[in-house]
Amino acid sequence: MIVALGSQPAEPARANEDFAAAGLGAAVLLDGAGVAGAETGCVHGIAWFSSTLGGLLLSTIAAVPARPLTDCLADAIRAVRSLHEDTCDLTYRASPTSTVVAVRAHAGVLDYLVLGDSTLLLAGTDGSATAITDQRLDEVGKRLRGPVDTLPTGSSEHSAALAEYRDALTGLRNRPGGFWIAGPTPEAADHALTGTVPLDSLASVTLLSDGATRLVDSFELADWKETLALLNSSGPDELIRRVREAEAGDPDGRRWPRGKAHDDATVLHWSLA
């Protein structure tokens, strides 16, 4: 088994709020999130939250192969909460959160968990490509975006509309009828998408943050099979390079409306061949 990892922050001077790691037959990817311009109530920040939660989750799922991934995630969320609940105000509506993709290979199967809008891409030995993404955030977002997508990305009008949208979106976080994401509430783990796939049916497993899936789901410049072919031939860094190239050609979001001109992009590609 060979693991290739590529990750790049949205801007060179900014911290990368994505986190990905693999070891002992397990892998995780987290995409940290907050509300732009809002106080988080946390002295550590979003990058700390996603990397700390990711490290604890990876160690938990690798150490206890029989434990359900939802239980492992709930335990990891509780552990992170205990690390900063005495120093940070976790009741803030804009407190740090993160998407989660986690996989674990054991006893001839691959267990998976997806929470939030990051993606798990499974390549079958039969040439198939199956993308597993938690669509609830996107579904809620479509109801709320209003004028955001009609305004040039980065303009003052776009920024104001985006702030209103994000505030409304935050109000639906980890609530029935809204969407679920890893934050200070362990119960969010119970709402993750989970499943099991026979290992011998898989050629590779790829974990991607939404900044890396833009080439497919936002820009429609490739499909999932083409993405797998690119990863197999050139690796994660080339996929991220092509995302950046497309973003550079549409800096104002006229062709492809989006909240941010650039986003952190992370790809962890696990070849099982």
Side-chain angles (χ1 to χ4, degrees):
M1 293 185 289
I2 301 174
V3 175
L5 173 63
S7 188
Q8 189 178 107
E11 304 291 346
R14 286 184 50 191
N16 190 338
E17 295 170 349
D18 289 354
F19 173 84
L24 299 175
V28 299
L29 181 145
L30 292 84
D31 180 356
V35 178
E39 292 292 335
T40 65
C42 177
V43 300
H44 303 95
I46 296 167
W48 174 88
F49 178 81
S50 58
S51 61
T52 303
L53 179 61
L56 287 169
L57 178 59
L58 180 62
S59 64
T60 301
I61 65 177
V64 192
R67 189 166 174 78
L69 293 179
T70 51
D71 291 351
C72 293
L73 177 57
D75 285 351
I77 291 173
R78 289 188 189 94
V80 175
R81 184 183 181 99
S82 71
L83 291 175
H84 70 146
E85 62 184 348
D86 293 335
T87 58
C88 305
D89 184 353
L90 305 187
T91 65
Y92 262 63
R93 292 174 72 235
S95 60
T97 59
S98 179
T99 70
V100 180
V101 180
V103 295
R104 177 179 58 203
H106 74 106
V109 300
L110 181 87
D111 296 331
Y112 68 80
L113 176 151
V114 179
L115 183 67
D117 61 352
S118 293
T119 296
L120 174 63
L121 181 58
L122 302 177
T125 54
D126 61 357
S128 62
T130 303
I132 302 168
T133 307
D134 183 351
Q135 300 286 353
R136 287 168 292 189
L137 176 56
D138 288 341
E139 291 167 358
V140 171
K142 287 176 183 177
R143 303 200 308 260
L144 300 175
R145 290 190 72 91
V148 174
D149 290 343
T150 67
L151 298 167
T153 300
S155 67
S156 58
E157 296 84 1
H158 181 271
S159 297
L162 187 61
E164 291 182 8
Y165 160 74
R166 286 173 169 163
D167 187 60
L169 195 66
T170 300
L172 293 173
R173 185 179 71 189
N174 290 347
R175 293 185 179 182
F179 66 97
W180 301 88
I181 196 166
T185 308
E187 291 75 18
D190 295 331
H191 297 271
L193 308 181
T194 59
T196 300
V197 182
L199 271 176
D200 60 10
S201 71
L202 297 173
S204 67
V205 177
T206 308
L207 291 66
L208 307 99
S209 68
D210 67 340
T213 60
R214 284 182 166 185
L215 209 64
V216 177
D217 55 21
S218 296
F219 305 157
E220 298 181 345
L221 296 176
D223 60 24
W224 290 118
K225 286 189 176 182
E226 291 168 335
T227 298
L228 283 169
L230 178 63
L231 288 169
N232 289 328
S233 64
S234 304
D237 288 338
E238 177 60 17
L239 174 58
I240 295 172
R241 188 196 69 77
R242 294 195 185 187
V243 171
R244 295 289 185 249
E245 182 178 61
E247 292 170 338
D250 181 42
D252 297 329
R254 294 292 192 180
R255 181 178 180 185
W256 299 303
R258 54 198 188 271
K260 294 181 281 188
H262 307 286
D263 196 3
D264 299 338
T266 299
V267 182
L268 192 154
H269 183 57
W270 183 2
S271 174
L272 303 176

